[in-house]
């Protein structure tokens, strides 16, 4: 992936997310790009659930799918794409991995990809993550500061540091759900290389117990709220957490919703698992 970043089409990516301006490596650009990305490119597991395939993480394939094609992707694809764009602008980006905690009924392996972004001249790095895909996902990158709260279009976030004497400190991304802070995922600052991501991607796409194989999930942040498809239900979530749910009649209506509301072209050969 790193070698291919020299050929990355930054202008095409910026057009895809509808971003215009001076692409300089500063905190304002980072936050603005992050928000434009999550409001333009949906999170989706069509390849894994409907095609039963393992998505390619080669940057050229990710760009073909998500920049030049009408598709979204999972956390690996989203954050690989953002990392390439940020590096092209002049940021230093490090891959980190996280353990999802939100709504987990058992302890899960570390399979989530997120980014540490070093901003030239900034006193602390930032955490960026355009691939969490939920209503409690970051809209903008946030500084790596213990306890500092970030309010983003009604969503409230903070990072909490949890020192461990026997190992690297844990950090947790928290979001407000209802009236309480809720852990979304935990991570360390140990750098991960591109080669480390491939086994996680394969595990998530092929393990029969993986959530990505259990049901269709598509989601995208909106300026006010979030739009989601889970299985055959379309869910609109407002900033205050209220939900409006509509059952979709059949796969034909599902296809129309994905095309019209999420700008996703479902690839030929996609079939609902028997």
């Amino acid at each position: 992936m790193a070698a291919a970043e020299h050929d990355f089409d930054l202008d095409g990516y910026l057009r895809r997310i509808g971003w215009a301006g001076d692409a300089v490596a500063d905190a304002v650009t980072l936050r603005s790009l992050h928000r434009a990305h999550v409001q333009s490119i949906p999170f989706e597991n069509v390849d894994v659930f409907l095609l039963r395939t393992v998505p390619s993480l080669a940057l050229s394939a990710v760009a073909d799918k998500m920049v030049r094609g009408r598709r979204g992707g999972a956390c690996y694809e989203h954050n690989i794409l953002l990392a390439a764009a940020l590096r092209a602008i002049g940021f230093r980006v490090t891959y980190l991995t996280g353990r999802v905690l939100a709504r987990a009924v058992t302890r899960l392996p570390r399979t989530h990809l997120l980014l540490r972004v070093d901003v030239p001249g900034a006193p602390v790095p930032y955490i960026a993550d355009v691939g969490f895909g939920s209503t409690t996902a970051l809209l903008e990158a946030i500084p790596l500061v213990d306890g500092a709260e970030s309010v983003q279009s009604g969503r409230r976030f903070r990072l909490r540091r949890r020192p461990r004497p026997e190992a690297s400190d844990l950090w947790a991304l928290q979001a407000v759900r209802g009236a309480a802070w809720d852990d979304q995922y935990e991570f360390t600052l140990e750098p991960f290389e591109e080669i480390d991501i491939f086994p996680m991607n394969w595990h998530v796409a092929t393990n029969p117990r993986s959530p990505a194989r259990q049901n269709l999930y598509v989601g995208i942040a909106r300026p006010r709220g979030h739009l989601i498809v889970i299985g055959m239900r379309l869910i609109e979530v407002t900033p205050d957490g209220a939900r409006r749910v509509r059952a979709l009649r059949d796969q034909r209506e599902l296809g129309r919703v994905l095309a019209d509301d999420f700008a996703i072209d479902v690839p030929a050969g996609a079939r609902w698992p028997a």
Side-chain angles (χ1 to χ4, degrees), residues 128-236:
D129 182 5
V130 291
F132 196 46
S134 78
T135 59
T136 51
L138 292 171
L139 298 177
E140 298 179 0
I142 59 174
L144 187 65
V145 176
D146 183 23
E149 185 174 339
S150 176
V151 181
Q152 305 175 4
S153 298
R155 305 185 190 194
R156 294 171 58 196
F157 301 99
R158 69 183 182 188
L159 294 169
R160 295 311 309 263
R161 187 176 188 175
R162 294 167 178 169
R164 298 187 298 173
E166 76 286 359
S168 301
D169 291 352
L170 278 175
W171 288 80
L173 174 70
Q174 296 183 323
V176 171
R177 289 174 57 86
W181 288 102
D182 186 40
D183 288 348
Q184 300 306 295
Y185 52 78
E186 63 184 16
F187 60 95
T188 68
L189 300 182
E190 176 188 2
F192 275 68
E193 300 178 29
E194 289 137 354
I195 194 67
D196 299 320
I197 302 169
F198 299 131
M200 294 189 294
N201 181 51
W202 181 86
H203 165 79
V204 168
T206 62
N207 188 330
R209 302 169 85 176
S210 167
R213 290 175 60 91
Q214 304 308 309
N215 211 348
L216 179 68
Y217 183 92
V218 183
I220 193 166
R222 297 301 193 198
R224 292 191 55 78
H226 211 92
L227 192 64
I228 307 167
V229 163
I230 302 178
M232 295 295 291
R233 294 178 299 150
L234 177 65
I235 304 169
E236 295 180 74

Side-chain angles (χ1 to χ4, degrees), residues 26-27 30-31 86 91-94 96 114-128 138 140-146 148 159 161 171 187-189:
D26 60 20
L30 172 61
R31 291 194 297 265
L86 294 177
F91 295 93
R92 184 160 62 91
V93 182
T94 304
L96 307 177
L114 59 147
L115 307 174
R116 167 182 167 154
V117 183
D118 287 274
V119 178
V124 296
Y126 281 69
I127 294 298
L138 292 171
E140 298 179 0
I142 59 174
L144 187 65
V145 176
D146 183 23
L159 294 169
R161 187 176 188 175
W171 288 80
F187 60 95
T188 68
L189 300 182

